[in-house]
Amino acid sequence: MAKQQNWIAPSILSADFAQLGKDVKDVLTAGADIVHFDVMDNHYVPNLTIGPLVCESLKKFMVREGLSAPIDVHLMVKPVDRLIGDFASAGADIITFHPEASEHIDRSLQLIKAAGCKAGLVFNPGTSLSYLEHVMDKIDMILIMSVNPGFGGQAFIPQALEKLRAARKLIDESGREIRLEIDGGVKADNIAEVAAAGCDTFVSGSGLFGNVNPNDPNRYDTIIKQMRAELAKV
Ligand code: DX5
Ligand code: ZN
């Protein structure tokens, strides 16, 4: 299956949570495609973030504001299954989880699909893609971590490029419509090489939300235009 249209996915982990709705509205208005929603539990990863309540409020806000972008929930939690229904009810469109965090990967994928969401697996820098072998038919997204999960603002681990190429090959061979997403340390200056490795969905947290004037409604325009220009070169 050919590469899908490029999606820029702001990670709201780097947004200002005191004005989350405003930040999401402004970044989507500036041209971002989906909202990347990082859920951390202080157990699977050493950090604690946001849960289904925030997802629900954000979804309601987005509907009110006419913002139709999908919410891409990245679960960094263990156990996984308990939260799937909660996030589906809270308006998640895509739910991804780390295979090491689930006792029964196929069951977790089935739960996500049965709840009406797109499903995906997430691969840490040290995790093998072999988890995909028997579940490709249930996967809508493969997320390659280019940092170890838990924090925004970390440096991109270059070995992720090789893993992207390997995942791209698996997707092409499967003939299925599967998105290939990257997460961690993606900025305007490396997004082109990430795209060249086969990625079509680009999470960026600090690269997008960092260093902008919080009161300027057009504060994300320049950086998103820059990212699109870089993507156009590939
Ligand atoms: C890390 C999270 C990422 C993170 C990305 O565990 O999954 O989504 O927010 O942030 P940056 O782009 O700053 O690396
Ligand atoms: Zn993430």
Side-chain angles (χ1 to χ4, degrees):
M1 183 59 62
K3 236 177 99 169
Q4 300 187 48
Q5 196 191 345
N6 286 323
W7 276 359
I8 293 176
S11 162
I12 57 171
L13 191 58
S14 293
D16 179 353
F17 281 115
Q19 53 165 30
L20 182 59
K22 182 175 183 290
D23 276 8
V24 166
K25 182 179 177 180
D26 291 347
V27 80
L28 290 175
T29 306
D33 302 285
I34 66 171
V35 177
H36 185 78
F37 192 103
D38 285 309
V39 183
M40 304 184 186
D41 66 349
N42 188 39
H43 173 67
Y44 179 63
V45 290
N47 199 357
L48 185 64
T49 60
I50 44 179
L53 266 177
V54 176
C55 186
E56 191 178 353
S57 299
L58 184 63
K59 186 71 170 198
K60 283 185 179 154
F61 169 81
M62 287 170 65
V63 169
R64 273 202 312 276
E65 295 286 328
L67 302 165
S68 59
I71 298 184
D72 169 30
V73 172
H74 173 192
L75 291 180
M76 287 161 274
V77 303
K78 186 178 181 173
V80 174
D81 294 0
R82 164 70 189 77
L83 286 173
I84 289 171
D86 291 357
F87 274 102
S89 311
D93 297 278
I94 305 164
I95 300 179
T96 63
F97 64 94
H98 292 248
E100 308 92 327
S102 172
E103 300 291 343
H104 306 282
I105 296 165
D106 184 88
R107 174 182 290 145
S108 304
L109 290 169
Q110 284 193 43
L111 285 172
I112 296 171
K113 305 288 273 187
C117 299
K118 303 264 189 207
L121 288 183
V122 190
F123 295 87
N124 287 333
T127 302
S128 164
L129 291 179
S130 60
Y131 281 106
L132 287 167
E133 195 178 346
H134 301 289
V135 293
M136 275 303 264
D137 59 317
K138 298 187 181 72
I139 299 269
D140 304 294
M141 181 178 259
I142 296 172
L143 169 47
I144 305 295
M145 294 304 298
S146 36
V147 297
N148 287 292
F151 304 94
Q154 303 180 78
F156 185 88
I157 296 173
Q159 283 78 6
L161 294 171
E162 188 142 331
K163 213 184 232 176
L164 279 174
R165 285 189 279 270
R168 179 82 256 158
K169 188 161 177 275
L170 291 174
I171 292 171
D172 291 346
E173 285 166 2
S174 79
R176 297 191 65 247
E177 270 186 40
I178 298 173
R179 282 208 162 259
L180 182 53
E181 185 174 44
I182 190 89
D183 187 1
V186 175
K187 313 211 182 291
D189 62 10
N190 63 2
I191 200 167
E193 59 174 338
V194 171
C199 181
D200 53 40
T201 307
F202 308 85
V203 175
S204 182
S206 50
L208 260 173
F209 290 103
N211 295 324
V212 286
N213 171 3
N215 298 316
D216 174 5
N218 301 318
R219 61 199 177 287
Y220 305 121
D221 288 12
T222 312
I223 180 72
I224 289 187
K225 274 202 193 98
Q226 219 178 317
M227 286 181 171
R228 293 256 183 241
E230 288 295 318
L231 289 172
K233 291 181 189 166
V234 179

